[in-house]
Amino acid sequence: MTAQRPKRPTMNDVAGRAGVSLKTVSRVVNQEPSVAPELATRVRDAVKELGYRHNRLASSLRSGRSTATIGLTIEEIANPFYASITAVIADYAAARDTLLITASPEENPNDEQRLLRDLCSRRVDGLVVVPASRDHAFLREEVELGLPVVFLDRPAGGVEADTVLLDNYGGAHRAVSDLIARGHRDTAVLLDRTDVYTMRERLRGARQAAVEAGLGDGLSVRGGVRDPATAAAAVAELLESPRPPTAFFAVNNRITVGAVHQLWRMGNDAALSGFDDFELSNLMPREFKVVAYDARELARRAVELLFDRIGGDRSAPHIITLPTRLERRGLR
């Protein structure tokens, strides 16, 4: 037998608990004047007791109002990849007299849900979301009410919406296949967490390249590598092991930076490929390769989809996957 979800309290429930009319409840939750203080207090007490959450999006849709505001949630604002994404979306919004509100849950699912609920309560006209979790069913009601949402870089879970992705699997497969073709049979993969979609797909592509080359799962995987410092430490430790790798595959730009610096400091000639290009990559002190792509195009496609939806497009959700390419970087 399937368990039923608890019924969410409604305005009618609040009106019944407070002993007032539905119109009075509506005035209080929408912060309208002319409600007697005693009645307003009763309504607010009932809201708190019942755990009622006012759906400002529904109010906005019913009134037909637009706020000329969109929301963006991203990870690691300091990361050049996300900075580029934000800049493109901000410029696109500004050109349409629309304000952009940006927030970062820093890969915390609870913070993501809190931030997205808050953005919805502010009656934003649409959202671009770089997911921090696998479950976005809490947005389903807002999407069904008409809130446009586009997921960027990672897919959503529990809700159907437009999604713009990179070919993470293909890019990683190409990078590791190239390392193997250059004679490297012992490659170490440096990553943070496999519960993140991009990391998981890149690891899957790397492993498949090894399988196709007859190496089985011939990769050593080092997890918990979050930034340049932990990347440098991991590279140093692996190179000092009894069987050091002859090549490294770094799954994002910050890990690549740490790996480049550590290999250079140690004077080691191990090969290196990394996913994501980054500013000044051509000035790094040694040669390596990157899985490159157009980050600005990724953002542009996402924000165009969002404004198409805001403009009335009601077609089925789109899933767009942008290509990657393998390129040389560093001083040669």
Side-chain angles (χ1 to χ4, degrees):
M1 183 176 179
T2 303
Q4 292 185 338
R5 293 193 305 175
K7 178 178 176 292
R8 289 177 57 177
T10 66
M11 274 196 186
N12 283 318
D13 297 325
V14 174
R17 176 67 64 91
V20 299
S21 69
L22 184 60
K23 188 172 184 178
T24 297
V25 175
S26 178
R27 285 175 174 169
V28 173
V29 298
N30 284 298
Q31 300 179 1
E32 295 179 9
S34 74
V35 178
E38 187 267 335
L39 293 181
T41 298
R42 279 160 52 186
V43 170
R44 285 192 287 267
D45 288 345
V47 165
K48 185 175 181 180
E49 291 169 11
L50 294 171
Y52 171 75
R53 184 173 68 86
H54 181 44
N55 192 323
R56 296 187 184 278
L57 171 64
S59 298
S60 178
L61 290 172
R62 283 193 293 269
S63 67
R65 286 178 290 176
S66 171
T67 62
T69 305
I70 62 172
L72 168 66
T73 60
I74 59 172
E75 308 307 318
E76 288 190 278
I77 293 175
N79 189 315
F81 170 75
Y82 291 116
S84 177
I85 295 292
T86 304
V88 170
I89 294 175
D91 288 347
Y92 197 95
R96 287 150 184 81
D97 295 321
T98 299
L99 176 69
L100 174 67
I101 302 175
T102 305
S104 175
E106 297 290 340
E107 300 285 7
N108 185 310
N110 292 330
D111 286 345
E112 176 185 58
Q113 185 170 154
R114 176 181 57 79
L115 289 170
L116 288 173
R117 287 189 184 280
D118 182 63
L119 287 168
C120 289
S121 75
R122 294 173 187 272
R123 307 183 190 182
V124 294
D125 298 321
L127 293 169
V128 177
V129 179
V130 177
S133 68
R134 299 190 194 186
D135 184 9
H136 299 87
F138 63 90
L139 283 175
R140 189 182 300 131
E141 181 182 1
E142 279 76 9
V143 170
E144 290 173 352
L145 282 165
L147 177 68
V149 180
V150 178
F151 288 88
L152 176 63
D153 192 42
R154 307 168 188 176
V159 62
E160 291 187 4
D162 294 315
T163 307
V164 182
L165 306 171
L166 289 171
D167 182 12
N168 293 285
Y169 172 89
H173 183 281
R174 187 177 300 110
V176 174
S177 293
D178 174 73
L179 291 172
I180 294 170
R182 287 190 274 153
H184 297 286
R185 315 287 288 182
D186 294 297
T187 297
V189 179
L190 307 175
L191 56 78
D192 186 2
R193 299 163 21 216
T194 55
D195 60 336
V196 176
Y197 169 81
T198 50
M199 303 296 102
R200 192 166 61 251
E201 283 295 289
R202 293 170 191 180
L203 178 59
R204 188 170 71 88
R207 282 178 163 160
Q208 183 59 28
V211 168
E212 291 174 4
L215 300 180
D217 191 14
L219 301 172
S220 59
V221 179
R222 175 60 63 93
V225 183
R226 302 178 302 278
D227 50 33
T230 52
V235 168
E237 183 180 339
L238 288 165
L239 289 176
E240 292 168 357
S241 65
R243 186 180 173 180
T246 64
F248 292 88
F249 175 54
V251 297
N252 69 22
N253 51 7
R254 301 189 73 207
I255 295 174
T256 302
V257 169
V260 169
H261 288 173
Q262 188 61 35
L263 289 170
W264 180 72
R265 280 192 291 263
M266 296 178 72
N268 190 283
D269 62 357
L272 171 65
S273 287
F275 211 107
D276 305 328
D277 202 356
F278 52 93
E279 190 175 9
L280 303 181
S281 59
N282 273 324
L283 298 181
M284 290 292 102
R286 53 156 290 159
E287 186 177 346
F288 60 103
K289 291 186 178 182
V290 296
V291 178
Y293 51 85
D294 190 342
R296 295 182 65 84
E297 176 68 5
L298 188 75
R300 185 185 68 79
R301 296 292 290 273
V303 74
E304 283 183 349
L305 275 175
L306 184 70
F307 275 89
D308 284 348
R309 297 299 189 188
I310 292 172
D313 182 358
R314 296 295 178 262
S315 61
H318 302 285
I319 299 179
I320 298 172
T321 302
L322 299 185
T324 61
R325 58 193 183 275
L326 191 62
E327 298 186 353
R328 293 181 181 275
R329 293 291 185 267
L331 295 172
R332 300 190 285 277

